[in-house]
Amino acid sequence: MQQYAEHGDQYIDGAWRPSGDPGSLAVLNPATEQVLATVPAGGAADVDAAVAAARRAARSWAATTRAERLELLTRLRDGLQAAQDEITETVVAELGAPVGFAAAVHAGLPLTVTTSYLTLLAEHSFEERIGNSVVHAEPAGVVAAITPWNYPLHQIVAKVVPALAAGCPVVLKPAEDTPLVARLFARLVHEAGFPAGVFNLVTGTGATAGAALVAHPQVDVVSFTGSTAVGRQVAETAGRGLKRVALELGGKSANVVLPGADLARAVKGNVANVFANSGQTCSAWTRLLVHEDQYEEAVTRAAEAAARYLPGDPADPQTRIGPLVNAEQLARVRGYIDGALAEGARLVVGGSEPVAELPTGFYVRPTVLADVAPETAVAQEEVFGPVLVILAYRDEDHAVELANGTPYGLGGGVWAHDTDTAAAFARRLDTGQVDLNGGRFNPLAPFGGYKNSGLGRELGRHGLEEFLRYKSLQY
């Protein structure tokens, strides 16, 4: 295990500089509850310096050619590839993600996404003719990227790489629970040779550094991923400055199994989906909807599948589910489980009791709940832990009603005997992305939500366009 240390500097204007704000943040290992490192608790002074650097770099970075940006982003991609083991180790340490999942997803997916933007940047047309007009796509300006802790490097890459590809300088404020992989990313940006001020990193709390960044008058675009409650605050603050806002927020996604589908495969896939990353995934299928005739069979199959997910040391390659990120999350998830049972839910597997074999660490038992009323909190609100709710529906109309019956609309799944049937049902769902019969994640497809799940899109062409503005020239 690599050694981490105290860090008193921020990455601003192309160099590591002492923080202008007092105080520090302790970074904990959620499996051991020990302090891994400390980082600066940046505030207004660091934000001002970072935004000023980005503003100074904005015009010259916007003027770079496609070939110049491609060369730098290719070096960054190569750096990410060379650092795969270091990324994996860092995410295991500060997030508690199981090492196999960390290598495949936390380290592997950012590499895939970065590579996808190299292809997209090489092919994208930044100009089109419409009638007697030529429409130019231009960089939208200085970008504030505020990222969460659950997929710390993926969310950084999903915002920073397309912003840089579009010609926008960036100030990144990562989540305070997982800043170490953000510092690693800043090091890779520096080693790739990006000009000073094009990328800047400020660590700190959301209430201080994040709020100062969103409100800063020299920020043009805010890209935020986090809770719906904080997303509303971000939108309100940014709206007062007429800034462009992209919000990727919470979810309460439904996985609907239609009659005739492969129930065994659908339930197994659902359990794997909701328990991945210890349930800390905004688009996780936290609600399994099955026809009432197959309800008890689905409950039994879910219990059998869930029994294979035993919490353990995330550094052990055999571990499939690690700890939650912090004590607050642990208390939150346990509270939802206890609340559901108090409201009449049936505990199928798991529960809120401590994991006796793991007295240290923020571990929760992977949990399956049946007989849950659709209007209760555990079926309506984002738990953000390994908790699956199973609901029964009478017919397809009832299934649509239940699936759409939350304030969210981020992800979802549909299983049917053929893809045409699954697609027809999916088109009735109020959600931004639906997987048909276990369809694979596509890094080129737009990712984002409806309703309280946010505004705007990430990934692929749509993610690039969040950082562009358009000028029409009439001839």
Side-chain angles (χ1 to χ4, degrees):
M1 174 63 69
Q2 68 185 78
Q3 298 298 309
Y4 302 95
E6 293 186 6
H7 303 288
D9 45 13
Q10 309 275 28
Y11 186 76
I12 297 174
D13 204 17
W16 293 101
R17 304 175 184 276
S19 174
D21 293 286
S24 61
L25 299 171
V27 184
L28 296 184
N29 181 322
T32 67
E33 303 182 44
Q34 299 300 305
V35 175
L36 284 170
T38 59
V39 297
D46 288 342
V47 167
D48 285 345
V51 173
R55 179 58 63 186
R56 287 192 297 272
R59 189 171 296 277
S60 59
W61 182 243
T64 55
T65 66
R66 185 198 309 256
E68 289 170 328
R69 296 200 293 272
L70 270 172
E71 181 179 355
L72 289 164
L73 288 168
T74 298
R75 290 181 199 162
L76 177 59
R77 188 273 312 276
D78 293 345
L80 286 167
Q81 188 165 37
Q84 287 288 285
D85 289 346
E86 186 181 357
I87 293 166
T88 298
E89 192 173 302
T90 302
V91 174
V92 170
E94 67 179 346
L95 178 62
V99 62
F101 188 80
V105 178
H106 287 286
L109 183 57
L111 181 61
T112 299
V113 170
T114 302
T115 302
S116 76
Y117 274 113
L118 295 178
T119 302
L120 184 62
L121 178 57
E123 298 175 348
H124 189 75
S125 175
F126 290 88
E127 181 176 294
E128 66 174 322
R129 177 172 287 278
I130 303 175
N132 66 308
S133 301
V134 173
V135 180
H136 292 273
E138 302 176 341
V142 173
V143 173
I146 303 176
T147 56
W149 47 260
N150 61 323
Y151 288 90
L153 185 57
H154 166 64
Q155 286 294 333
I156 288 170
V157 164
K159 298 178 189 301
V160 173
V161 169
L164 296 179
C168 299
V170 179
V171 179
L172 169 66
K173 205 298 285 184
E176 47 263 43
D177 286 295
T178 54
L180 300 182
V181 77
R183 293 178 65 87
L184 193 164
F185 179 80
R187 189 194 81 204
L188 297 177
V189 170
H190 183 81
E191 291 172 353
F194 282 82
V198 168
F199 172 82
N200 306 272
L201 169 69
V202 174
T203 58
T205 67
T208 302
L213 190 54
V214 172
H216 202 288
Q218 294 299 309
V219 167
D220 301 295
V221 181
V222 178
S223 180
F224 169 83
T225 297
S227 71
T228 298
V230 177
R232 286 196 177 97
Q233 297 173 11
V234 168
E236 290 173 3
T237 301
R240 288 194 289 272
L242 296 180
K243 306 176 195 297
R244 181 183 297 186
V245 179
L247 304 173
E248 198 267 281
L249 308 176
K252 193 67 184 176
S253 301
N255 182 36
V256 183
V257 185
L258 299 176
D262 186 337
L263 182 65
R265 183 165 167 254
V267 173
K268 182 180 179 181
N270 199 141
V271 170
N273 176 285
V274 79
F275 289 170
N277 210 41
S278 300
Q280 299 169 134
T281 303
C282 53
S283 58
W285 302 337
T286 52
R287 296 180 298 143
L288 171 60
L289 276 58
V290 296
H291 192 273
E292 57 190 12
D293 292 345
Q294 296 180 298
Y295 185 75
E296 289 303 330
E297 180 184 355
V299 170
T300 299
R301 290 186 179 278
E304 293 171 350
R308 301 186 182 96
Y309 288 80
L310 300 176
D313 179 0
D316 184 345
Q318 301 303 312
T319 295
R320 300 179 74 178
I321 190 163
L324 301 179
V325 71
N326 57 36
E328 182 181 1
Q329 274 301 111
L330 179 61
R332 171 187 171 88
V333 174
R334 285 176 172 170
Y336 271 106
I337 295 170
D338 288 339
L341 297 178
E343 292 180 303
R346 178 185 10 147
L347 181 63
V348 179
V349 171
S352 63
E353 296 81 6
V355 181
E357 302 83 359
L358 298 164
T360 302
F362 308 123
Y363 291 94
V364 67
R365 296 176 181 273
T367 298
V368 177
L369 299 169
D371 303 343
V372 175
E375 68 276 7
T376 56
V378 76
Q380 287 287 316
E381 299 174 10
E382 186 175 46
V383 176
F384 228 59
V387 178
L388 173 63
V389 170
I390 307 179
L391 302 170
Y393 64 84
R394 297 183 300 273
D395 52 35
E396 287 196 13
D397 288 343
H398 187 214
V400 171
E401 178 186 343
L402 289 174
N404 291 339
T406 77
Y408 299 103
L410 186 56
V414 179
W415 301 74
H417 66 279
D418 63 74
T419 54
D420 288 344
T421 300
F425 186 91
R427 289 188 176 93
R428 301 176 67 186
L429 301 181
D430 296 332
T431 191
Q433 192 167 83
V434 186
D435 300 337
L436 308 181
N437 289 333
R440 293 182 297 109
F441 180 75
N442 180 2
L444 294 175
F447 181 83
Y450 295 179
K451 301 187 291 187
N452 285 359
S453 289
L455 306 167
R457 291 296 181 267
E458 292 183 335
L459 303 180
R461 174 177 61 83
H462 299 81
L464 178 67
E465 289 173 349
E466 292 291 342
F467 303 106
L468 296 171
R469 61 186 182 183
Y470 297 90
K471 179 182 292 180
S472 299
L473 303 180
Q474 279 62 251
Y475 289 83

